[in-house]
């Protein structure tokens, strides 16, 4: 038995703080320095941005329901595609994972809080003006940026003032990411409980440690690219203007040197969440823990040498195409190791399929499809045919929606009882899962065929032969969107209000880790004195 059960008064001090130490009212949130409060704010912010980005996606799908222009002119349509991408990547997925990091890393490593509590507060509040500026760009003269989320020159050099607002917003979000990353690295390296070596840390902490280094390495690269765009627009430089000796292709190199590690920034923490859930519901230790750590590090390192596989059609010499083709195929190896290890963990385990496990298995299934389509796109001759078609859209949505978002949902169902102190409704959770899984595949699977048939992305109109698959995709998109509204109203809101069965300290029989050693809901202050751990570093012994 764990010490928390042996010593029922072990957390009385924490409960005392829970009632008396926590500030109340708006001050608690505005001046928050507690990692749990800041994590909650990140999660609520990211869900708000998910809804805004989702509305833009549904505008795109409504326009594409049939040929011809229905509701929006092509310029506004391109603004929707651009802002949908920027809001989902920088406003929804990344802050959601930072929210998970804030909530779970101190609990998992036995730390009292994050290392830099006030910087943690600052890094969150930077997101609000940045997101407001980004979303508000629709109301600026000339409308929102319409250059695609990659912000390629020369289109960005021709946009109205909203482009400058977008650049400024991304600078602020980048600063927030860098501060959050520094905080996570220092917390993990310096504040682990005695006895928890790096190779005994939960994999979620490992994946975030590696992700934080990636963020620090690549966010300044994006800042450089968009600053050069800004000086080209206003200060007479010619970085990306051929007339002045510049080269728009250089922008693509700089952007994708950021952009490809960014893809892994959005998936590595998801791997960490799945690596916590699969062993818990298979009731087995994770198969190949050490290989998972090395695979994560390998993915991070290799992500820096594959950037130009996005650029096969830019006139790259064959030697360059071959290098990036082989490097991209190589990165599939450590990713395959992870999938193999999850399947091996499930093999002959005593599996049960509560909602978190359903999301985890759904993640493995759809992420694998996304991985295979990426492997297909890694081949230069194939990619040249499929470049900028809906096949690419299908591929990265299988990786990002079915990857990052499904893992986030899995994490909410898995750790939500620890956060709120109440269990979600299993029926509603399973309904949300099956509804989302089916609607997701109905939306994005037909896009593979549209791409193979040659339909380009970011077009507001298309010839009649593409109508059927587009209509199926649009119906699926609306179903998927409504599933997330259902999730918020009927799963999240009741849990936040404390409606439902009270959660036990450890709601999942097979779960391991220090987060299950504190009461549910987790007290406002935890681990004020570092816990003493057993040999596996997953239980408190003193």
């Amino acid at each position: 038995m764990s010490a928390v059960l042996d010593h029922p008064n072990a957390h009385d001090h924490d409960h005392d703080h829970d009632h008396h130490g926590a500030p109340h009212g708006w001050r608690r949130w505005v001046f928050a320095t507690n990692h749990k409060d800041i994590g909650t704010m990140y999660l609520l912010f990211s869900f708000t941005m998910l809804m805004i980005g989702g509305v833009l996606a549904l505008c795109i799908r409504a326009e594409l329901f049939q040929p011809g222009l229905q509701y929006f002119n092509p310029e506004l349509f391109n603004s929707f595609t651009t802002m949908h991408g920027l809001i989902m990547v920088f406003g929804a997925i990344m802050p959601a994972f930072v929210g998970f990091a804030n909530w779970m890393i101190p609990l998992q490593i036995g730390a009292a809080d994050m290392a830099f509590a006030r910087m943690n507060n600052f890094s969150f509040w930077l997101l609000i003006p940045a997101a407001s500026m980004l979303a508000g760009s629709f109301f600026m003269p000339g409308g929102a940026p319409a250059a695609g989320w990659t912000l390629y020159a020369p289109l960005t050099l021709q946009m109205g003032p909203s482009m400058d607002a977008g650049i400024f917003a991304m600078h602020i979000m980048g600063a927030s990411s860098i501060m959050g990353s520094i905080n996570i690295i220092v917390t993990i390296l310096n504040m682990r409980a005695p006895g928890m070596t790096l190779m005994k840390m939960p994999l979620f902490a490992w994946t975030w440690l590696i992700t934080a280094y990636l963020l620090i390495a690549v966010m300044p690269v994006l800042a450089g690219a968009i600053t050069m765009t800004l000086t080209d627009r206003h200060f007479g430089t010619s970085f990306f203007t051929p007339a002045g000796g510049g080269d728009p292709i250089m922008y693509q190199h700089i952007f994708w040197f950021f952009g490809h590690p960014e893809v892994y920034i959005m998936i590595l923490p998801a791997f960490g969440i799945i690596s916590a859930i699969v062993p818990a519901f298979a009731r087995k230790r994770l198969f190949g823990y050490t290989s998972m750590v090395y695979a994560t590090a390998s993915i991070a390192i290799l992500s820096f040498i594959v950037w130009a596989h996005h650029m096969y059609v830019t006139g790259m010499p064959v030697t360059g195409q071959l290098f990036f083709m082989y490097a991209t195929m190589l990165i599939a190896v450590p990713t395959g190791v992870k999938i193999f290890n999850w399947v091996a963990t499930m093999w002959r385990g005593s599996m049960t399929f509560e909602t978190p496990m359903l999301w985890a298995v759904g993640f493995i299934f759809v992420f694998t499809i996304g991985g295979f389509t990426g492997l297909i796109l890694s081949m230069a001759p194939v990619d040249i045919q499929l470049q900028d078609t809906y096949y690419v859209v299908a591929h990265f949505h299988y990786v990002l929606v079915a990857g990052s978002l499904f893992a986030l949902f899995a994490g909410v169902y898995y750790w939500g009882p620890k956060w709120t102190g109440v269990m979600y409704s299993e029926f509603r959770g399973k309904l949300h899962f099956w509804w989302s899984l089916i609607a997701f595949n109905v939306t994005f699977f037909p896009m593979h065929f549209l791409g193979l048939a040659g339909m380009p992305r970011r077009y507001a109109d298309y010839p009649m032969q593409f109508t059927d698959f587009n209509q199926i995709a649009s119906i699926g998109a609306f179903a998927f969107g409504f599933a997330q509204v259902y999730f918020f109203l009927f799963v999240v809101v009741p849990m936040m209000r404390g409606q439902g069965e009270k959660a036990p300290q450890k709601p999942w029989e097979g779960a391991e880790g220090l987060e299950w050693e504190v009461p549910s809901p987790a007290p406002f202050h935890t681990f004020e004195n570092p816990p003493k751990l057993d040999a596996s570093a997953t239980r408190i012994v003193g």
Side-chain angles (χ1 to χ4, degrees):
M1 291 289 277
S2 73
V4 173
L5 295 180
D6 292 340
H7 306 287
N9 299 323
H11 283 276
D12 278 3
H13 182 56
D14 295 334
H15 279 297
D16 189 55
H17 268 279
D18 210 20
H19 296 300
H20 303 294
H24 292 287
W26 60 271
R27 279 189 175 79
R28 172 175 177 177
W29 303 101
V30 173
F31 302 123
T33 51
N34 184 283
H35 70 98
K36 303 177 183 75
D37 285 353
I38 293 172
T40 301
M41 291 197 294
Y42 265 110
L43 291 169
L44 291 173
F45 167 82
S46 66
F47 191 82
T48 305
M49 298 306 282
L50 183 79
M51 291 293 100
I52 295 170
V55 167
L56 296 178
L58 296 185
C59 289
I60 294 167
R61 289 314 320 172
E63 178 58 56
L64 292 175
F65 188 73
Q66 54 192 31
L69 295 178
Q70 327 299 325
Y71 308 107
F72 311 112
N73 63 42
E75 182 72 12
L76 182 59
F77 181 87
N78 280 341
S79 288
F80 286 158
T81 59
T82 303
M83 298 306 292
H84 166 71
L86 289 173
I87 286 170
M88 288 303 203
V89 169
F90 296 104
I93 299 296
M94 288 171 69
F97 281 126
V98 179
F100 270 86
N102 265 292
W103 246 107
M104 297 315 304
I105 286 174
L107 287 180
Q108 289 192 331
I109 66 172
D113 207 310
M114 298 295 278
F116 305 116
R118 286 188 178 84
M119 186 166 84
N120 204 9
N121 173 288
F122 186 47
S123 64
F124 170 75
W125 285 110
L126 280 178
L127 292 176
I128 305 300
S132 306
M133 216 181 309
L134 204 56
S137 62
F138 278 105
F139 306 104
M140 294 181 184
W149 86 274
T150 51
L151 305 176
Y152 277 2
L155 284 173
T156 43
L157 308 181
Q158 301 157 9
M159 294 281 134
S162 64
M163 191 68 235
D164 304 319
I167 288 171
F168 192 37
M170 289 171 69
H171 270 302
I172 297 172
M173 286 177 161
S176 167
S177 291
I178 289 171
M179 284 193 284
S181 301
I182 292 169
N183 217 342
I184 287 165
I185 290 169
V186 175
T187 304
I188 291 174
L189 294 186
N190 288 351
M191 297 177 67
R192 299 190 310 281
M196 181 176 281
T197 61
L198 283 173
M199 294 309 282
K200 287 181 179 173
M201 280 199 312
L203 259 173
F204 181 68
W206 254 116
T207 53
W208 244 118
L209 179 64
I210 291 166
T211 301
Y213 276 111
L214 276 181
L215 272 164
I216 289 173
V218 302
M219 290 314 286
V221 178
L222 174 67
I226 58 180
T227 303
M228 290 151 107
T229 303
L230 193 70
T231 59
D232 273 13
R233 284 170 57 82
H234 296 295
F235 300 109
T237 56
S238 298
F239 291 112
F240 311 130
T241 315
D247 184 1
I249 299 298
M250 182 171 77
Y251 176 87
Q252 295 192 27
H253 278 290
I254 300 168
F255 178 85
W256 285 115
F257 191 77
F258 148 80
H260 206 80
E262 167 67 15
V263 172
Y264 292 100
I265 285 163
M266 291 188 286
I267 199 66
L268 290 182
F271 290 165
I273 293 172
I274 300 306
S275 299
I277 293 172
V278 168
F281 292 95
R283 291 165 180 78
K284 278 174 66 184
R285 300 302 291 272
L286 181 71
F287 180 88
Y289 171 93
T290 309
S291 64
M292 291 288 256
V293 172
Y294 285 121
T296 308
S298 306
I299 289 170
I301 293 161
L302 290 171
S303 72
F304 284 100
I305 63 165
V306 296
W307 78 90
H309 68 207
H310 299 264
M311 299 169 55
Y312 288 142
V313 296
T314 57
M316 188 187 296
V318 172
T319 316
Q321 290 185 356
L322 285 171
F323 170 81
F324 287 106
M325 190 163 94
Y326 294 141
T328 307
M329 290 178 178
L330 190 61
I331 210 167
V333 175
T335 312
V337 167
K338 287 184 166 298
I339 290 173
F340 172 82
N341 284 8
W342 291 323
V343 173
T345 304
M346 290 189 275
W347 177 251
R348 303 189 75 173
S350 304
M351 289 210 293
T352 52
F353 292 97
E354 287 89 346
T355 308
M357 187 61 166
L358 284 179
W359 282 105
V361 173
F363 166 93
I364 294 167
F365 171 66
V366 281
F367 178 78
T368 305
I369 294 174
F372 278 131
T373 56
L375 208 51
I376 289 164
L377 288 169
S378 75
M379 291 181 275
V382 177
D383 182 82
I384 287 166
Q385 293 298 312
L386 297 175
Q387 171 78 14
D388 267 340
T389 66
Y390 265 78
Y391 191 91
V392 178
V393 177
H395 156 66
F396 69 70
H397 280 88
Y398 263 85
V399 173
L400 265 184
V401 182
S404 302
L405 192 63
F406 278 24
L408 287 164
F409 286 139
V412 169
Y413 285 106
Y414 182 61
W415 285 308
K418 180 59 63 185
W419 300 344
T420 60
V422 295
M423 297 298 292
Y424 59 86
S425 157
E426 198 66 56
F427 170 78
R428 290 176 182 177
K430 287 180 173 169
L431 176 62
H432 174 223
F433 168 74
W434 288 110
W435 184 355
S436 297
L437 183 76
I438 293 165
F440 168 80
N441 282 290
V442 168
T443 306
F444 292 105
F445 204 76
M447 292 186 190
H448 292 104
F449 303 117
L450 286 170
L452 289 166
M455 179 172 167
R457 64 177 175 168
R458 297 181 185 160
Y459 278 33
D461 193 7
Y462 54 86
M464 280 190 68
Q465 64 261 36
F466 297 141
T467 307
D468 290 350
F469 278 144
N470 268 303
Q471 290 189 337
I472 293 168
S474 291
I475 291 166
F478 276 89
F480 187 76
F482 288 126
Q484 309 331 313
V485 175
Y486 173 85
F487 164 69
F488 185 74
L489 294 180
F490 296 101
V491 178
V492 174
V493 170
M495 287 179 82
M496 288 173 68
R497 286 182 173 170
Q499 297 166 351
E501 180 190 332
K502 189 169 180 343
Q505 178 177 304
K506 185 175 169 183
W508 317 116
E509 184 190 324
E512 284 200 339
L514 295 187
E515 68 263 40
W516 308 112
E517 301 284 308
V518 300
S520 300
F524 190 71
H525 293 291
T526 41
F527 301 128
E528 290 183 332
N529 300 308
K532 293 189 177 75
L533 307 179
D534 65 4
S536 68
T538 59
R539 293 229 161 183
I540 300 173
V541 293

